[in-house]
Amino acid sequence: MTDTSQRDTSGTLGEMGTVVETGDRAGAVDWGTPAPGGAFDAHKPPDAALIGDCVHCGFCLPTCPTYVLWGEEMDSPRGRIYLMKEGLEGEPMDDEMVGHIDACLGCMACVTACPSGVQYDVLIEQTRNQVERRHDRTVADRALRGLIFALFPHPKRLKLLRGPLKAMQRTGLDRAMRRTGLLDRISPQLAVMESLAPQLGKPQPLPEYIHATGERRMVVGMLVGCVQGAFFPGVNSATARVLRAEGCDVVVPASQGCCGALSAHNGREPEAQDFARRLVDSFEDSGVERVVVNAAGCGSTMKEYAALLADDPAYASRAQAFAEKVRDVSEILVELGPVAPRHPLEMTIAYHDACHLAHAQGVRSEPRQLLEAIPGLELREIAEAEICCGSAGIYNVLNPEPARELGDRKAANIVRTGAQVLVTANPGCLMQVTSAIERAGHPMGMAHTIEVLDASIQGAPASVLLPDQTAS
């Protein structure tokens, strides 16, 4: 591939292509089908019309984590869009191009920042699907990705992992292993996986049907999730209790599995489609009015099932109907309005916007509404809120060094708020930020939004959410 780092990219992408009149998309850039021998094949390549929407203005730059870290044009959204254009025009898919695509966290902060409405979220997933089909990764990279996708999208396998992890935590072997640095020398990626594991409590399985307290206002289905279900069962229990207290019958299908979010965000399109079909099947005959999600990354993908399964005649309309029911738990609770009384929680919290909740789903005000309605609770905003914490699904495992730098940057901004508890709405963020806060040496409580609301409704003391001062 031509050395794009030395190329003048100061003009707009529109100037780099041919502007044509195409009916309802007048002024779109038309590069036609991918050039033979280029990076992309004809199966859903990056959309040339969407590429043409980018005017190279640079509003995305200060919100892009990798550009903030490195200041490299090709590691910015507009730079990656330029690489997509080159791939359509015939440039090969080499290691350099793939490296810039892989470096993207997929946080979608650029989508929020873009004044031209560029659908970078669509473009990066189209490109990653091509990369996973057409690029030969190294043996080590294939092995790591194979391990990740043989484990994380499989709830039963994750639950089997709880036993060994809990034994390590109980005996202190995990801390001893970190002190030796042995795992870091063997594999930084595996070391990150071990260090991110949360302190495990007791499993909290949910029944398949939970009846509302008092008058029933809605029947909702609930996604249990993979990492959420295995490592944060308390979040699921709190979600069910709050929904029940607010007048919802909660249906938890036993047949449900992974939603496919990790696969969809990492270019494994056929795998993501298989997971999506199974989840649609699980909820289809449950009679629910909404499907409630308490993990930001899962919710963003489930809301896009119509696009994911658009080419499947057996599932296209069913996926559309399913996607229309999907809501983040905060959206449902704001939609319903409160009926359960809130008891005071005298504490300060910092609220961290999970990227796939704020940027991908556009859900920002609802969690804040719920938190600010709790008596005695003071919410403090975090500087550089638009910058990702570095979790980004499996990014922190595949790219431990930049993820750690972003995590430390986020931790510093959180600590500066002086808050007692960090609150967010995604398991990956909770693990990433917990690890970074521990490195910072400033103990804080960590909680999911719904856990704070649950504590208030139950009348629990603020101490249940504050850091354990006796922990080693």
Side-chain angles (χ1 to χ4, degrees):
M1 190 177 74
T2 305
D3 182 6
T4 54
S5 65
Q6 301 302 317
R7 182 170 299 167
D8 178 13
T9 58
S10 58
T12 68
L13 288 179
E15 292 166 353
M16 299 171 192
T18 303
V19 179
V20 294
E21 300 297 318
T22 58
D24 62 349
R25 284 193 65 88
V29 180
D30 181 16
W31 288 293
T33 56
F40 309 124
D41 60 33
H43 178 66
K44 299 180 183 177
D47 191 315
L50 298 185
I51 288 174
D53 287 337
C54 179
V55 298
H56 214 63
C57 67
F59 277 89
C60 59
L61 300 183
T63 71
C64 174
T66 50
Y67 186 82
V68 167
L69 288 183
W70 306 322
E72 166 60 51
E73 177 69 19
M74 291 303 129
D75 286 313
S76 73
R78 69 180 186 182
R80 294 184 179 106
I81 288 173
Y82 186 84
L83 292 177
M84 296 171 196
K85 171 190 173 292
E86 283 199 319
L88 288 176
E89 291 178 331
E91 287 290 340
M93 183 182 289
D94 61 9
D95 290 344
E96 182 187 353
M97 177 187 284
V98 171
H100 292 305
I101 298 302
D102 282 350
C104 174
L105 287 91
C107 68
M108 307 311 159
C110 57
V111 176
T112 298
C114 181
S116 302
V118 176
Q119 297 179 52
Y120 181 83
D121 51 343
V122 175
L123 289 169
I124 193 65
E125 287 202 5
Q126 290 173 335
T127 304
R128 283 183 162 159
N129 289 337
Q130 294 272 341
V131 167
E132 291 309 299
R133 284 202 313 274
R134 295 172 56 80
H135 181 64
D136 289 328
R137 296 190 178 277
T138 65
V139 172
D141 196 6
R142 288 200 303 273
L144 177 61
R145 289 169 184 266
L147 172 64
I148 289 169
F149 284 98
L151 181 62
F152 285 106
H154 300 278
K156 290 181 180 178
R157 297 175 193 175
L158 282 176
K159 287 175 182 175
L160 289 175
L161 194 62
R162 283 178 53 91
L165 277 175
K166 198 167 182 180
M168 288 175 62
Q169 291 172 356
R170 189 184 301 116
T171 61
L173 182 60
D174 57 338
R175 296 186 295 276
M177 191 163 57
R178 287 174 209 166
R179 284 194 296 270
T180 67
L182 178 62
L183 196 54
D184 289 277
R185 291 192 291 273
I186 296 172
S187 170
Q189 291 86 358
L190 291 178
V192 167
M193 290 173 68
E194 186 281 323
S195 68
L196 290 172
Q199 288 296 310
L200 299 177
K202 294 181 180 179
Q204 300 181 35
L206 296 173
E208 287 194 60
Y209 203 98
I210 301 166
H211 291 278
T213 300
E215 181 182 354
R216 186 177 75 186
R217 305 165 74 195
M218 186 179 286
V219 180
V220 302
M222 179 178 155
L223 180 78
V224 174
C226 303
V227 172
Q228 193 84 287
F231 293 158
F232 296 96
V235 173
N236 283 338
S237 294
T239 302
R241 281 193 298 269
V242 171
L243 289 169
R244 180 174 181 262
E246 296 292 16
C248 294
D249 280 6
V250 184
V251 181
V252 189
S255 60
Q256 66 175 292
C258 179
C259 69
L262 285 181
S263 303
H265 296 157
N266 288 277
R268 301 167 71 96
E269 183 183 30
E271 185 176 76
Q273 290 169 332
D274 285 343
F275 284 133
R277 292 185 190 100
R278 293 173 199 166
L279 200 64
V280 169
D281 290 343
S282 294
F283 282 92
E284 195 162 40
D285 296 324
S286 62
V288 301
E289 300 165 70
R290 299 282 190 275
V291 178
V292 177
V293 189
N294 57 22
C298 300
S300 68
T301 293
M302 291 163 66
K303 288 180 178 180
E304 299 297 327
Y305 273 8
L308 184 62
L309 296 176
D311 296 332
D312 185 338
Y315 276 87
S317 61
R318 295 159 65 189
Q320 175 76 45
F322 177 89
E324 289 173 355
K325 294 179 180 179
V326 176
R327 299 289 189 277
D328 182 73
V329 63
S330 65
E331 293 181 285
I332 283 288
L333 294 173
V334 169
E335 176 188 340
L336 286 171
V339 292
R342 272 55 168 167
H343 300 94
L345 286 173
E346 299 290 343
M347 63 181 188
T348 55
I349 68 164
Y351 178 73
H352 164 61
D353 283 293
C355 293
H356 276 88
L357 191 61
H359 301 307
Q361 299 183 57
V363 177
R364 296 179 183 83
S365 65
E366 291 90 343
R368 288 174 169 83
Q369 272 184 256
L370 296 173
L371 293 167
E372 289 173 341
I374 297 173
L377 186 144
E378 179 188 341
L379 188 152
R380 297 178 182 177
E381 296 293 346
I382 302 167
E384 295 185 328
E386 72 282 358
I387 301 293
C388 182
C389 68
S391 173
I394 59 171
Y395 186 90
N396 51 359
V397 178
L398 296 174
N399 303 277
E401 290 183 12
R404 183 185 178 105
E405 192 170 348
L406 289 167
D408 290 344
R409 186 184 185 114
K410 181 64 69 175
N413 283 323
I414 292 168
V415 168
R416 287 190 194 103
T417 68
Q420 297 166 289
V421 178
L422 185 280
V423 178
T424 190
N426 195 56
C429 297
L430 279 170
M431 290 190 289
Q432 173 77 354
V433 174
T434 297
S435 179
I437 290 287
E438 287 177 355
R439 287 195 300 272
H442 293 274
M444 292 180 68
M446 300 284 168
H448 190 287
T449 312
I450 202 70
E451 292 179 300
V452 180
L453 194 59
D454 180 49
S456 174
I457 290 174
Q458 291 196 78
S463 59
V464 301
L465 299 168
L466 297 178
D468 181 2
Q469 300 298 333
T470 66
S472 58

